[in-house]
Amino acid sequence: MKFCRASSVNEALAYLGEWGADGYLLAGSTDIMPQYNSGDVAPSALIHIEGIESLSLITINERTSIGALVSHSRLAADKEIVARHPALAKAASLVGGWQTQAVGTVGGNICNASPAADLAPPLLIADAQVTLVSTSGERQLTLDDFFAGRRQTARRSDELLTTIELEPLPNGSAEVYVKLGRRGAMDVAIVGLAVRLALGENGKIANARVAVCAVAPKPMRLPKVEAALTGLPLEAVELAAVGKTLVAAISPIDDNRATASYRKRVLPGLLQQAVCQCAEEIQK
Amino acid sequence: MTGSNAMSDEQSVPISCQVNGRNHQLNVRPEESLLSMLRERLSLKGTKEGCLEGECGACTVLVDDLPVDSCLYFAAAADGKSIRTIESLHAEEGELSPLQQAFLDHGAVQCGFCTPGFVMTLTALLEQKKAPSRTEIEAALAGNICRCTGYRQIFDAVFAVEKTE
């Protein structure tokens, strides 16, 4: 195995051109090292991109642009992210421990494409778009299209994910990320749920965005649940019917963290919790 | 040892880094962890190997002042970085850091295997924040596990350092 150090996007692309699918991009390395040690991956080359400064930026315009190399610690602490993307900041603070958050990156979290990726639901409710760059040009994909399946993405082996663009929380809206784990620290999510709600003038939910992780092969938005929430009164939302829609929209599995039926039982309660938290935020 | 045949010479990665204030030029294997580099090449055995998957925090060291699990960190990625291990904390004459002394005073060490990791994470925390709250300490320590269940004494030690400083 070779260790290649890229200090610019062009250098990284050159290495990707050289190694193709046998070259693994490496930033914080918190995901790849255990996979390498267990023999799950056997790359011919590691392409270390942590030093590419242009990918470590957070740029605030109408939309929020986050470089792929921004760490979880920075997402959790950055004032603009906390204000514009509170669910994302919260989720970043719940990924592993400080040691993981200090070096683990947002680009790594989504390129690794774990079904339980904590950052995915809050990114999905912000209509995240990712930019992929290769020597033949660049393209943008919605995060939803980027996730292709369990640990699979639409990234071609010659492409580098450079930035993630987000739509910030509008005025009069609120968003939260709620996560169920086993002990409240260092958890891989049993279920993760992000909700963004906008309140209409009539006290009803004018717009709802809902995304989940760890209940399907890939993190995903739930359009039917969003439609079912829209138009409901924000105070005392009657969630029984919405809960059924929610359970019908997911396809959880049994694994060493929880059973599928457990996940189906707890998710409606988490939605209730998330909606209540959003209502409290909006009324502040 | 490493570098003993042509193949590994060809693939070895030259790095330059600072460890506990001293500059080192090393040739590391591409797959070598920072933990292995510290323990096997530099004989810094204070950093412990626990789970090897980023769950336990026993191998925590500071890289550019931030705590990282050295078992998950490639040695080659440490090029240009400043690394601090538990061996960096005491003074030349052997005097312990205030946090280390507080660990002793409060019985925050039982079997001791997790202790270097805890001390390094808390050193980073106290450098960032003079008087962290209980919640902040809890959040900082999420990635450090003590199986002797000595957490209470560890918290007592941190609060004692806050008071003396």
Side-chain angles (χ1 to χ4, degrees):
Chain A
M1 189 169 68
K2 289 269 283 187
F3 192 97
C4 312
R5 208 171 280 132
S7 54
S8 69
V9 169
N10 283 340
E11 261 181 55
L13 294 180
Y15 283 127
L16 284 172
E18 184 180 343
W19 294 100
D22 292 329
Y24 273 50
L25 291 162
L26 172 71
S29 77
T30 53
D31 274 319
I32 195 170
M33 187 70 113
Q35 292 176 30
Y36 179 83
N37 287 339
S38 64
D40 288 347
V41 300
S44 303
L46 293 174
I47 304 166
H48 188 229
I49 57 171
E50 188 227 345
I52 306 179
E53 283 174 23
S54 62
L55 302 187
S56 301
L57 305 174
I58 295 174
T59 313
I60 302 297
N61 285 307
E62 201 172 313
R63 283 165 73 83
T64 309
S65 171
I66 300 174
L69 294 177
V70 170
S71 71
H72 292 78
S73 290
R74 254 184 87 198
L75 285 180
D78 185 274
K79 286 201 174 80
E80 293 284 358
I81 298 297
V82 170
R84 292 162 68 100
H85 303 281
L88 180 62
K90 176 73 177 177
S93 77
L94 297 174
V95 174
W98 190 6
Q99 292 92 332
T100 300
Q101 292 166 18
V103 291
T105 64
V106 58
N109 192 255
I110 62 178
C111 285
N112 199 49
S114 160
D118 281 305
L119 300 189
L123 290 172
L124 286 165
I125 61 164
D127 273 345
Q129 278 211 312
V130 301
T131 300
L132 296 161
V133 177
S134 70
T135 48
S136 54
E138 71 171 55
R139 60 179 178 138
Q140 290 206 309
L141 287 178
T142 65
L143 184 58
D144 194 38
D145 287 338
F146 180 72
F147 286 134
R150 185 182 175 279
R151 294 201 173 276
Q152 289 176 332
T153 71
R155 186 182 78 83
R156 295 194 316 259
S157 62
D158 65 335
E159 285 178 316
L160 179 69
L161 188 151
T162 54
T163 49
I164 300 142
E165 277 207 10
L166 303 176
E167 186 187 303
L169 188 63
N171 286 334
S173 297
E175 65 171 35
V176 296
Y177 178 65
V178 290
K179 171 178 179 173
L180 184 68
R182 283 194 122 157
R183 65 178 184 99
M186 293 292 285
D187 287 318
V188 177
I190 292 172
V191 178
L193 170 76
V195 175
R196 179 185 281 194
L197 296 180
L199 185 64
E201 286 178 4
N202 51 10
K204 291 182 174 167
I205 296 170
N207 193 286
R209 293 179 183 179
V210 179
V212 285
C213 67
V215 290
K218 62 174 199 166
M220 59 185 183
R221 285 275 289 268
L222 300 173
K224 284 184 180 163
V225 176
E226 296 174 357
L229 282 171
T230 305
L232 293 178
L234 185 58
E235 293 266 356
V237 170
E238 184 42 69
L239 282 176
V242 182
K244 279 186 190 147
T245 311
L246 179 61
V247 169
I250 61 173
S251 52
I253 56 166
D254 294 342
D255 64 17
N256 61 3
R257 281 168 281 137
T259 61
S261 77
Y262 177 77
R263 290 182 159 98
K264 286 182 178 170
R265 283 183 64 169
V266 295
L267 195 51
L270 277 191
L271 179 66
Q272 176 99 46
Q273 204 181 320
V275 169
C276 288
Q277 283 181 23
C278 282
E280 278 172 28
E281 281 296 317
I282 290 175
Q283 282 149 8
K284 260 185 194 168
Chain B
M1 288 300 289
T2 55
S4 59
N5 60 51
M7 175 78 96
S8 60
D9 277 344
E10 198 177 291
Q11 297 192 335
S12 72
V13 189
I15 66 165
S16 164
C17 61
Q18 208 177 62
V19 180
N20 298 340
R22 290 179 58 179
N23 293 318
H24 290 272
Q25 264 83 41
L26 300 164
N27 285 309
V28 299
R29 285 169 284 116
E31 73 283 2
E32 185 170 332
S33 70
L34 178 58
L35 172 65
S36 161
M37 181 191 104
L38 292 169
R39 287 182 57 89
E40 309 305 331
R41 288 183 194 275
L42 303 181
S43 292
L44 294 168
K45 304 282 172 100
T47 306
K48 302 304 180 201
E49 176 181 311
C51 67
L52 281 182
E53 49 187 29
E55 291 290 333
C56 76
C59 66
T60 303
V61 301
L62 306 190
V63 175
D64 288 347
D65 304 330
L66 291 174
V68 305
D69 290 320
S70 60
C71 76
L72 296 188
Y73 202 92
F74 285 94
D79 183 54
K81 308 280 189 192
S82 166
I83 294 139
R84 282 186 285 161
T85 70
I86 189 78
E87 287 89 349
S88 71
L89 296 186
H90 63 82
E92 289 282 323
E93 316 79 63
E95 192 189 337
L96 299 177
S97 77
L99 179 65
Q100 287 176 305
Q101 187 59 52
F103 261 62
L104 279 190
D105 295 344
H106 290 82
V109 180
Q110 290 188 41
C111 87
F113 197 80
C114 71
T115 309
F118 270 92
V119 170
M120 294 317 289
T121 303
L122 290 168
T123 296
L125 179 68
L126 290 166
E127 284 175 358
Q128 285 190 6
K129 201 145 204 172
K130 279 239 159 62
S133 66
R134 174 167 281 276
T135 316
E136 286 166 335
I137 301 170
E138 276 172 4
L141 289 180
N144 289 85
I145 289 174
C146 169
R147 291 292 82 154
C148 307
T149 66
Y151 296 100
R152 165 134 189 211
Q153 289 87 336
I154 291 170
F155 276 77
D156 289 345
V158 182
F159 290 133
V161 174
E162 289 178 13
K163 277 188 195 139
T164 56
E165 294 211 331

